């Protein structure tokens, strides 16, 4: 397996946490990794290969402009390693827009793909995650793009989570086909026609609502990137608030602390399953290579999980499967 290119300079805690996570991933997962970044900023890469890049795209930099003008940035160089066959995948916790632009401009799109989409796993306690896409790559969409998102999301759910017949839902404000805006109504008609299914093995289950995202009633939920990103951040904020309130309640008295110690062995696995860092990041579907976008606040553990996702997607041949699904539709 070719090494996985990790953007050492991307993220709120870069390069320290990123390098630590990459070193841990190499040791624990046995995955070859090449760090991409500024040698002077990386104290100790350990046994990992370091590919020098002199520039860093900041979290608040304009994505398109940065990628065009900062050609020796760690993000651009990581994407070029994949393009040139020197790396099997790229992982970054940096500027999301710049990560997408780097992957798109350097790797290119899979033939037939109109727009790449970010596929984000939404945790579902006791079940496989719900794949939400688009989670922010395309603020405005056309119905045909959402149909492709359904195809790609179904392939990803099958390859990533072993869902043989993914159930695809369309995010709307009601279950009825007549509910939603023009985009949703036109997309519903195309998905219901079923011409897009091909070799994905997917089934369209109709409209779903925001409350269905964390249930086992659907495997893939498609929407435009604006709505998807709002839904994702709403869930993140809600879960964070809930966990904070529970921890505060557990620490509110001696009796509560004693009760929490008894409950913790049961609650700990649930907490772990809801932790965003456990998912390892989102995959950018539709580009001609594996690109994993990790959370900006990723810790070393999150990077380990992101590398694990990248490895699984490379070994599973997800890009080839996406290419086949698009070409036969």
């Amino acid at each position: 397996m070719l090494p996985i290119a990790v953007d050492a300079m991307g993220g709120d805690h870069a390069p320290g946490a990123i390098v630590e996570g990459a070193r841990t991933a190499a040791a624990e997962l046995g995955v070859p990794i090449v760090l991409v970044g500024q040698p002077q900023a990386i104290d100790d890469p350990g046994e990992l290969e370091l590919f020098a890049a002199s520039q860093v795209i900041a979290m608040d930099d304009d994505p398109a402009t940065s990628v065009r003008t900062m050609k020796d940035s760690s993000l651009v160089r990581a994407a070029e390693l994949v393009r040139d066959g020197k790396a099997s995948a790229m992982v970054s916790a940096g500027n999301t827009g710049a990560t997408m632009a780097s992957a798109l401009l350097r790797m290119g799109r899979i033939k037939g793909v109109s727009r790449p989409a970010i596929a984000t796993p939404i945790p579902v306690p006791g079940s496989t995650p719900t794949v939400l896409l688009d989670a922010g790559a395309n603020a405005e969409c056309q119905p045909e793009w959402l149909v492709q998102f359904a195809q790609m999301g179904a392939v990803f759910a099958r390859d990533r989570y072993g869902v043989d017949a993914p159930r695809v839902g369309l995010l709307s404000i009601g279950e009825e086909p007549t509910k939603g805006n023009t985009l949703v109504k036109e997309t519903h008609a195309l998905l219901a026609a079923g011409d897009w299914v091909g070799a994905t093995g997917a089934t369209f289950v109709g409209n779903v609502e925001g409350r269905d995202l964390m249930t086992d009633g659907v495997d893939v939920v498609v929407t435009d990137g604006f709505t998807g990103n709002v839904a994702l951040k709403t869930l993140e904020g809600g879960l964070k608030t809930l966990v904070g309130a529970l921890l505060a309640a557990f620490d509110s008295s001696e009796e509560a602390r004693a009760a929490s110690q008894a409950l913790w062995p049961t609650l700990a696995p649930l907490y772990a399953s809801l932790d965003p860092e456990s998912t390892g990041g989102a995959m950018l579907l539709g580009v001609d290579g594996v690109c994993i976008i990790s959370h900006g606040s990723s810790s070393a553990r999150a990077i380990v999980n992101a590398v694990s996702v990248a490895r699984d997607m490379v070994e599973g041949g997800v890009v080839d499967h996406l290419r086949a699904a698009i070409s036969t539709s």
Side-chain angles (χ1 to χ4, degrees):
M1 180 177 175
L2 291 170
I4 293 172
V6 176
D7 171 21
M9 312 308 297
D12 298 335
H13 307 299
I18 310 302
V19 174
E20 179 187 348
R23 293 183 61 180
T24 302
E28 294 182 356
L29 305 176
V31 178
I33 291 174
V34 55
L35 293 170
V36 186
Q38 297 173 321
Q40 68 273 21
I42 300 172
D43 293 332
D44 183 16
E47 300 298 320
L48 301 184
E49 178 186 357
L50 176 58
F51 187 91
S54 63
Q55 297 173 305
V56 177
I57 296 177
M59 299 295 278
D60 58 352
D61 283 342
D62 178 76
T65 302
S66 299
V67 171
R68 286 198 304 268
T69 59
M70 302 176 71
K71 297 182 180 180
D72 196 40
S73 64
S74 55
L75 265 177
V76 172
R77 293 305 188 196
E80 288 177 347
L81 288 174
V82 179
R83 178 198 65 187
D84 297 340
K86 297 178 180 179
S88 58
M90 67 176 288
V91 172
S92 179
N95 184 311
T96 298
T99 303
M100 293 187 298
S102 297
L104 179 59
L105 294 176
R106 292 302 189 269
M107 298 179 191
R109 276 180 289 194
I110 292 173
K111 185 178 180 180
V113 170
S114 297
R115 294 291 189 279
I118 299 176
T120 300
I122 305 297
V124 178
S127 183
T128 56
T130 299
V131 178
L132 173 68
L133 73 165
D134 180 18
N138 307 279
E140 297 182 6
C141 290
Q142 298 177 15
E144 293 79 10
W145 300 358
L146 266 62
V147 173
Q148 283 196 340
F149 296 169
Q151 292 174 311
M152 296 192 295
V155 171
F156 181 75
R158 185 186 64 200
D159 286 6
R160 180 77 183 100
Y161 301 110
V163 182
D164 292 331
R167 297 161 297 172
V168 176
L170 176 64
L171 189 61
S172 186
I173 57 173
E175 296 179 356
E176 299 82 1
T178 55
K179 292 290 182 68
N181 56 19
T182 301
L183 173 64
V184 170
K185 293 177 183 177
E186 293 181 0
T187 302
H188 188 285
L190 293 176
L191 290 173
D195 298 338
W196 58 276
V197 173
T200 65
T203 301
F204 179 53
V205 297
N207 287 349
V208 297
E209 298 178 75
R211 63 187 177 190
D212 300 312
L213 288 172
M214 294 187 68
T215 70
D216 62 358
V218 65
D219 302 303
V220 177
V221 174
V222 295
T223 185
D224 62 272
F226 182 90
T227 305
N229 194 266
V230 170
L232 175 63
K233 298 297 175 59
T234 301
L235 286 175
E236 288 181 349
L239 287 173
K240 184 177 181 180
T241 300
L242 176 60
V243 169
L246 286 174
L247 292 177
F250 287 157
D251 196 41
S252 61
S253 66
E254 289 296 333
E255 293 80 4
R257 283 190 284 272
S260 67
Q261 291 179 1
L263 289 172
W264 186 247
T266 302
L267 293 177
L270 176 62
Y271 175 80
S273 70
L274 296 176
D275 185 357
E277 294 201 341
S278 300
T279 65
M283 183 168 175
L284 182 61
L285 303 180
V287 295
D288 198 9
V290 173
C291 175
I292 304 300
I293 302 173
S294 199
H295 203 287
S297 61
S298 290
S299 66
R301 182 168 65 89
I303 295 302
V304 173
N305 291 330
V307 170
S308 176
V309 174
R311 175 203 59 188
D312 291 347
M313 294 299 90
V314 171
E315 292 181 343
V318 66
V319 174
D320 288 336
H321 298 158
L322 289 168
R323 188 178 292 110
I326 295 300
S327 67
T328 57
S329 62

